[in-house]
């Protein structure tokens, strides 16, 4: 009783002080009790399939999903027990209820987030509009799709998985499934590529309906600020990149240039500016007529001192291959924009290809807002709860250990 009173007082305190954290699970437990009252163990597999067909028909005829939740969750629980040998705990069911309501759930490591997500995924997939589960990397997307796939298929739902390197047709087929496992980056880049298409038949995405974001605190806040950029080739070549690279290479950190705390920006010091102006016989590098030259000097500095071989890129067959900072994998056909590609190639003494230009760009935060409804799950949501609420208007529900 003391723990219950303590939890309710904490919930009231959070509410009064505007902290978007839910600790009181009383309302969720009422729904859980109704789900637990549905005992489907005596039904045959054919009975379960008939039940799934009826629920799908109702959802597509416009019956509110909230009205179908209890039966659907009971069906998912029993299907999981039969198909993969795991009967979800009450805490996992509660987590699934909260996620359907568009909330981020905090469920501890090892408590079964992957299985908990199956409940809202199945419920929302009944509409046929598509549900996306954004995992942290390709491996997890493939693993979870294979692991949970039998549950979906026994309920008559199709499941697909997006992986780096897939063809356009393979991507289109995966996005057309009732349920698609992917990463936010793959989904975002497909969105950008769709905006470069001239014909509707070349598009891979359909409308964005409902998504669950795994590792939500990281994906919704930390990585969401990083822009996704698609660059193309302009056919323009430059002859001064190597010359500017040699100048940048000769400059000394803290004396001629400085970087910020995150090593994302570099700027000339007064001493460095004077040195560059003397070497280039340029009276004032900051004069309006020298704006393009100043830009390219800064790009050369960035390439020489902030972009590192075998970390940010590799050299293969005489070409620069960019390494994805989140997956650690080489990404084919990706180029840096705004002559940065030229500066890196000059740094490595490679024969210049054509320059790069930005064809499309979007942050994950902007992209994820295209979904009509979002939810998330993570083991560490509390510290990011306020930011998640501020940016996405989503509350965080703390689920206790089973």
């Amino acid at each position: 009783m003391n723990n219950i009173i303590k939890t309710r007082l904490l919930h009231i305190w959070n509410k009064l002080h505007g902290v978007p954290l839910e600790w009181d699970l009383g309302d969720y437990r009422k729904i859980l009790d109704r789900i637990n009252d549905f005992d489907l163990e005596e039904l045959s597999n054919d009975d379960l399939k008939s039940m799934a067909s009826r629920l799908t028909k109702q959802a597509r005829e416009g019956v509110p999903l909230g009205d179908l939740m209890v039966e659907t969750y009971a069906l998912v629980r029993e299907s999981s027990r039969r198909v993969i040998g795991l009967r979800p705990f009450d805490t996992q069911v509660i987590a699934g209820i909260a996620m359907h309501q568009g909330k981020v759930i905090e469920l501890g490591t090892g408590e079964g987030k992957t299985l908990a997500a199956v409940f809202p995924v199945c419920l929302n997939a009944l509409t046929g509009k598509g549900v996306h589960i954004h995992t942290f990397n390709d491996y997890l997307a493939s693993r979870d799709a294979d692991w949970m796939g039998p549950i979906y298929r026994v309920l008559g739902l199709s499941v697909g998985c997006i992986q780096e390197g897939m063809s356009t047709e393979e991507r289109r087929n995966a996005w057309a499934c009732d349920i698609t496992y992917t990463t936010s980056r793959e989904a975002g880049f497909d969105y950008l590529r769709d905006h470069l298409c001239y014909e509707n038949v070349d598009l891979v995405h359909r409308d964005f309906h409902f998504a669950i974001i795994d590792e939500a605190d990281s994906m919704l806040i930390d990585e969401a600020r990083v822009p996704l950029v698609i660059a193309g080739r302009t056919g323009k070549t430059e002859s001064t990149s190597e010359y500017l690279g040699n100048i940048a290479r000769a400059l000394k950190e803290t004396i001629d240039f400085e970087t910020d705390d995150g090593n994302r920006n570099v700027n000339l010091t007064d001493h460095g500016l004077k040195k560059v102006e003397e070497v280039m016989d340029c009276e004032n590098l900051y004069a309006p007529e020298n704006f393009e030259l100043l830009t390219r000097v800064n790009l050369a500095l960035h390439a020489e001192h902030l972009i590192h071989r075998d970390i940010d890129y590799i050299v293969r067959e005489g070409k620069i291959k960019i390494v994805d900072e989140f997956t650690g994998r080489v990404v084919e056909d990706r180029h840096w924009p705004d002559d940065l590609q030229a500066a890196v190639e000059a740094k490595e003494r490679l024969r210049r290809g054509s320059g790069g230009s930005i064809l499309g760009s979007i942050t994950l935060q902007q992209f994820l807002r295209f979904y009509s409804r979002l939810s998330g799950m993570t083991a560490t949501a509390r510290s990011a709860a306020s930011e998640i609420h501020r940016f996405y208007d989503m509350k965080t529900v703390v689920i206790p250990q089973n």
Side-chain angles (χ1 to χ4, degrees):
M1 179 63 72
N2 288 336
N3 286 335
I4 295 175
I5 294 173
K6 185 178 179 180
T7 297
R8 291 190 179 277
L9 289 174
L10 185 59
H11 177 71
I12 294 170
W13 189 92
N14 286 332
K15 192 171 183 180
L16 290 174
H17 290 81
V19 179
L21 275 174
E22 288 187 23
W23 296 80
D24 186 354
L25 305 181
D27 290 340
Y28 302 104
R29 293 190 184 280
K30 292 176 183 176
I31 301 174
L32 173 67
D33 289 341
R34 294 169 57 202
I35 294 169
N36 287 340
D37 286 341
F38 262 88
D39 186 1
L40 306 180
E41 290 189 17
E42 299 302 321
L43 296 184
S44 68
N45 290 339
D46 287 339
D47 290 335
L48 294 185
K49 290 180 180 179
S50 296
M51 185 177 175
S53 297
R54 174 176 56 80
L55 291 168
T56 299
K57 184 174 183 294
Q58 288 178 292
R60 298 185 185 187
E61 288 175 348
V63 176
L65 293 181
D67 294 346
L68 304 178
M69 175 185 282
V70 171
E71 279 190 85
T72 301
Y73 278 33
L75 176 61
V76 170
R77 193 179 215 175
E78 179 60 20
S79 298
S80 175
R81 185 186 70 82
R82 295 188 189 190
V83 176
I84 65 172
L86 295 174
R87 184 182 187 276
F89 301 124
D90 285 354
T91 50
Q92 291 172 300
V93 179
I94 289 174
I97 296 169
M99 280 190 278
H100 172 70
Q101 295 178 359
K103 295 170 183 176
V104 172
I105 60 100
E106 180 180 286
L107 193 61
T109 302
E111 292 292 305
K113 294 188 295 295
T114 301
L115 185 53
V118 173
F119 290 96
V121 166
C122 286
L123 179 59
N124 285 270
L126 295 178
T127 64
K129 296 179 181 178
V131 175
H132 301 163
I133 304 93
H134 292 232
T135 64
F136 195 70
N137 55 43
D138 276 0
Y139 165 74
L140 292 175
S142 177
R143 184 202 70 177
D144 293 353
D146 289 342
W147 188 14
M148 299 295 113
I151 301 175
Y152 301 130
R153 284 186 279 271
V154 80
L155 299 179
L157 301 169
S158 58
V159 58
C161 178
I162 301 292
Q163 297 279 280
E164 183 182 318
M166 290 175 64
S167 68
T168 299
E169 187 64 26
E170 289 172 326
R171 289 173 179 274
R172 185 181 298 112
N173 291 337
W175 288 124
C177 290
D178 297 312
I179 299 152
T180 307
Y181 282 83
T182 182
T183 66
S184 294
R185 295 176 67 78
E186 288 295 324
F189 277 119
D190 275 350
Y191 169 81
L192 291 175
R193 282 188 283 265
D194 275 357
H195 274 64
L196 301 178
C197 295
Y198 290 100
E199 302 289 342
N200 286 339
V201 294
D202 296 324
L203 303 177
V204 299
H205 268 303
R206 52 176 170 161
D207 291 341
F208 300 102
H209 172 51
F210 176 67
I212 294 178
I213 314 299
D214 196 8
E215 305 296 343
D217 50 339
S218 176
M219 298 303 296
L220 293 175
I221 302 300
D222 300 332
E223 293 185 29
R225 299 186 180 101
V226 179
L228 304 176
V229 177
I230 283 189
R233 312 300 283 178
T234 64
K236 170 181 163 185
T237 60
E238 302 293 343
S239 60
T240 58
S241 296
E242 188 171 344
Y243 170 67
L244 294 174
N246 290 333
I247 294 175
R249 201 172 298 116
L251 299 177
K252 307 296 183 184
E253 189 169 4
T254 69
I255 298 174
D256 301 318
F257 68 90
E258 297 174 336
T259 61
D260 60 13
D261 292 337
N263 278 334
R264 290 187 174 272
N265 296 290
V266 59
N267 295 290
L268 290 168
T269 63
D270 290 341
H271 185 273
L273 176 63
K274 184 177 180 180
K275 181 184 288 189
V276 172
E277 288 174 343
E278 288 176 354
V279 171
M280 300 185 67
D281 193 21
C282 173
E283 186 174 339
N284 180 7
L285 194 57
Y286 282 94
E289 62 270 19
N290 292 326
F291 176 76
E292 183 176 351
L293 182 59
L294 173 63
T295 299
R296 298 191 58 200
V297 168
N298 286 328
L299 286 170
L301 273 171
H302 193 103
E304 290 291 338
H305 301 290
L306 297 186
I307 298 180
H308 306 290
R309 183 170 178 165
D310 296 330
I311 296 176
D312 302 300
Y313 68 93
I314 63 171
V315 178
R316 179 186 292 167
E317 298 177 352
K319 295 182 179 179
I320 298 292
K321 301 289 186 179
I322 296 177
V323 175
D324 189 290
E325 63 179 306
F326 297 113
T327 66
R329 294 182 179 180
V330 173
V331 183
E332 297 295 336
D333 300 323
R334 189 182 297 179
H335 303 277
W336 283 296
D338 298 334
D339 295 324
L340 184 56
Q341 183 81 15
V344 177
E345 289 174 352
K347 170 185 176 180
E348 296 294 339
R349 311 295 204 279
L350 299 178
R351 182 169 59 87
R352 277 293 297 126
S354 55
S357 63
I358 294 178
L359 300 180
S361 176
I362 192 171
T363 65
L364 287 179
Q365 191 175 100
Q366 291 170 317
F367 170 68
L368 292 174
R369 284 176 174 160
F370 290 143
Y371 285 94
S372 300
R373 295 173 55 243
L374 269 182
S375 65
M377 54 187 184
T378 180
T380 53
R382 273 173 257 190
S383 60
S386 294
E387 285 185 284
I388 292 172
H389 187 256
R390 182 163 72 250
F391 292 128
Y392 300 94
D393 195 27
M394 297 164 65
K395 290 185 177 180
T396 298
V397 181
V398 179
I399 310 295
Q401 288 184 323
N402 177 57

